[in-house]
Amino acid sequence: MRKAILSLTILMSISHLPAYSATPPKAGSACSKQGITKDYKGKTFKCIKFKNKLVWSKGNLVKQAAPPPTPTPTPTPTPTPTPTPTPTPTPTPTPTPTPTPTEPSAPITFDNLDLKWTSVIARKKILREFENLTQPRSNANFRVGPNVRVDLLDEEKRLLIIAERMFSGYFFPEYYEILIFSERDGTWADKEKELLLGLSNWSISKDIENNPKACNFAGATRTMKNIPMYSMCLDSRGRGIEDKQTTIHEYFHLVQQKYSLEKMTCWLVEGSATYFGIALGVDGSDSSGESSLRFINSLANQYNPNGFGTKGSSDELRAKLSTDNGAISVLRDLEIRPFEIRAPGSCLNLAAYTVGSIATEALIAVKGFKTYMDFISTFPTSVDWKIEFRKHFEISPDDFYLKLAPYLRGRLNT
């Protein structure tokens, strides 16, 4: 019974709770406890005592808490790419140029007449000798035609100075004559010639007439008084580089006169004069050797062993030289003396100028200038030039011809 009464009492207590406790707050309406607050429709109402009553205030707006700002995402920085370094190119080393050789790899000998180096070494030996000489005083007496160009005359005088110095150790005349004329001085030149040589069948005017394209002939002789003399025509239309050999060529004939030119062979007389003219004159203006090689090859056209004059065949000469026996035959033919009775102009027609100059070049390249000139100086007293040749060059002429043959072919293969 007691439990039933207690339960009823609790139930009645619960049923008599004020109804406003669940009613939404409204300004001025009753509230249960001073100080409590209640939020409704965005306002905060507070229970206050007003005129001894507990009522809800007018309410204050509820301050909405600002939503936390959405953080602006900090952009992830794009990493600056590390530049790939451009590889420094490895420099290609500049190749060290191979120095141009100034000497042959092996000495020039009769067994090694190197086609490239023999002419170079021969000229070096001549120039070395030239440098050791002093310039002598000239004793030349010039007879110059009225129409000779001064510039051409000056060039021949320059070349003569070279010749006088080069051979001064073997030839130093107290006096000698030089007759120079142009293609327009024929009559004058013939009169001067008669004063020097007397009457003769030689006509300078006729020679000029026979050389209408170029007046460039020359010759060496002796006057009536046995004075050395040479004459030459200087074409007023001009001179080529090959003409730079003429003065030295003729002067060397004066040297040979002193040493019994008439006893020398054709290849010695004309070949050596041509060689010295080329080495000191032509090569002096073109040290490459190209001009002199062209000139030597042009002289091969004089080869005409069965005829006269200067019109021959270089092809015939080259064909003859194509074998060793042929080369020996050409050189043996050139052992004739210039004044032996065989045929007018035999030295020229037998290719003495071209073949002899190459032979002289080889002898000087191997044995030097002094040995060559010492050999030339033996002719006045020698009985047999071949004995003197062997003595000075340590080889017989025939053996020399055989060893020279390949070099001859090489030099005349242009």
Side-chain angles (χ1 to χ4, degrees):
M1 183 69 180
R2 185 180 174 109
K3 287 182 181 181
I5 294 172
L6 180 59
S7 299
L8 179 62
T9 302
I10 292 171
L11 179 62
M12 289 178 65
S13 298
I14 293 174
S15 62
H16 284 88
L17 285 176
Y20 53 75
S21 62
T23 302
K26 184 178 180 181
S29 64
C31 58
S32 61
K33 186 177 179 180
Q34 186 176 354
I36 64 172
T37 61
K38 194 171 184 179
D39 292 337
Y40 180 67
K41 291 187 176 181
K43 289 185 178 181
T44 300
F45 295 91
K46 185 175 183 180
C47 185
I48 60 173
K49 190 174 183 178
F50 181 72
K51 293 183 179 182
N52 295 319
K53 293 182 179 180
L54 294 175
V55 295
W56 294 106
S57 67
K58 293 180 179 180
N60 297 317
L61 291 174
V62 177
K63 291 183 180 179
Q64 297 289 332
T70 302
T72 302
T74 303
T76 302
T78 302
T80 302
T82 303
T84 302
T86 302
T88 303
T90 303
T92 303
T94 303
T96 303
T98 303
T100 302
T102 57
E103 296 288 338
S105 57
I108 299 300
T109 65
F110 291 126
D111 291 313
N112 179 39
L113 292 174
D114 185 272
L115 187 57
K116 175 182 177 181
W117 285 103
T118 299
S119 61
V120 175
I121 295 303
R123 187 163 187 267
K124 280 187 174 182
K125 288 185 176 181
I126 287 176
L127 295 181
R128 194 178 301 129
E129 189 73 27
F130 184 85
E131 291 300 320
N132 293 328
L133 298 169
T134 57
Q135 188 65 48
R137 177 178 58 86
S138 178
N139 293 318
N141 179 54
F142 284 88
R143 296 173 184 249
V144 181
N147 293 297
V148 171
R149 279 172 45 180
V150 174
D151 59 326
L152 298 181
L153 177 63
D154 288 345
E155 175 63 5
E156 298 308 318
K157 287 182 176 180
R158 181 187 72 82
L159 293 165
L160 179 61
I161 288 172
I162 294 172
E164 289 177 326
R165 178 173 172 177
M166 187 76 251
F167 305 108
S168 58
Y170 296 87
F171 178 66
F172 184 65
E174 295 180 359
Y175 179 84
Y176 65 104
E177 294 276 4
I178 302 175
L179 177 61
I180 297 182
F181 47 88
S182 77
E183 76 281 4
R184 294 181 288 173
D185 294 325
T187 301
W188 174 89
D190 277 329
K191 291 179 179 178
E192 291 295 316
K193 175 185 68 69
E194 287 184 12
L195 293 174
L196 293 166
L197 303 177
L199 294 174
S200 69
N201 293 327
W202 174 36
S203 170
I204 293 176
S205 296
K206 189 66 175 178
D207 282 348
I208 291 174
E209 184 181 333
N210 291 335
N211 292 274
K213 292 184 179 180
C215 188
N216 57 7
F217 57 87
T221 185
R222 285 182 175 272
T223 70
M224 292 184 294
K225 298 179 179 180
N226 204 32
I227 295 172
M229 166 194 165
Y230 71 84
S231 61
M232 61 190 302
C233 184
L234 300 184
D235 197 310
S236 60
R237 290 165 291 190
R239 307 267 285 170
I241 191 169
E242 67 278 0
D243 293 314
K244 293 185 183 296
Q245 64 91 30
T246 307
T247 286
I248 299 168
H249 180 121
E250 298 305 329
Y251 187 85
F252 190 68
H253 282 327
L254 303 188
V255 178
Q256 291 170 327
Q257 286 177 3
K258 176 181 177 179
Y259 298 106
S260 303
L261 178 150
E262 67 280 358
K263 295 174 66 175
M264 299 177 191
T265 67
C266 271
W267 73 261
L268 284 169
V269 172
E270 295 298 350
S272 56
T274 301
Y275 172 71
F276 286 120
I278 289 172
L280 295 170
V282 179
D283 286 346
S285 296
D286 178 11
S287 59
S288 71
E290 293 179 4
S291 295
S292 59
L293 187 59
R294 281 195 304 269
F295 180 55
I296 291 170
N297 275 267
S298 72
L299 294 177
N301 285 312
Q302 296 173 343
Y303 189 65
N304 188 15
N306 299 313
F308 307 102
T310 60
K311 294 183 179 179
S313 171
S314 59
D315 289 339
E316 185 178 353
L317 176 61
R318 292 188 179 99
K320 188 84 171 182
L321 297 174
S322 64
T323 66
D324 290 347
N325 287 336
I328 293 171
S329 175
V330 168
L331 283 154
R332 282 178 177 169
D333 287 344
L334 284 169
E335 289 179 357
I336 189 174
R337 271 76 170 176
F339 301 107
E340 287 179 347
I341 300 174
R342 172 177 172 177
S346 291
C347 286
L348 184 146
N349 297 334
L350 296 175
Y353 291 76
T354 183
V355 172
S357 68
I358 295 171
T360 304
E361 181 175 77
L363 290 170
I364 292 176
V366 175
K367 292 297 185 178
F369 173 78
K370 187 176 185 303
T371 297
Y372 186 85
M373 292 304 301
D374 287 347
F375 164 67
I376 292 296
S377 67
T378 66
F379 275 85
T381 58
S382 68
V383 176
D384 186 344
W385 71 271
K386 292 186 177 182
I387 295 175
E388 294 296 335
F389 187 95
R390 182 190 288 271
K391 184 187 300 183
H392 284 79
F393 299 110
E394 300 176 299
I395 190 173
S396 71
D398 278 352
D399 286 344
F400 169 62
Y401 298 161
L402 179 61
K403 294 178 183 296
L404 180 67
Y407 186 63
L408 265 177
R409 286 191 285 271
R411 290 291 272 169
L412 294 179
N413 193 29
T414 300

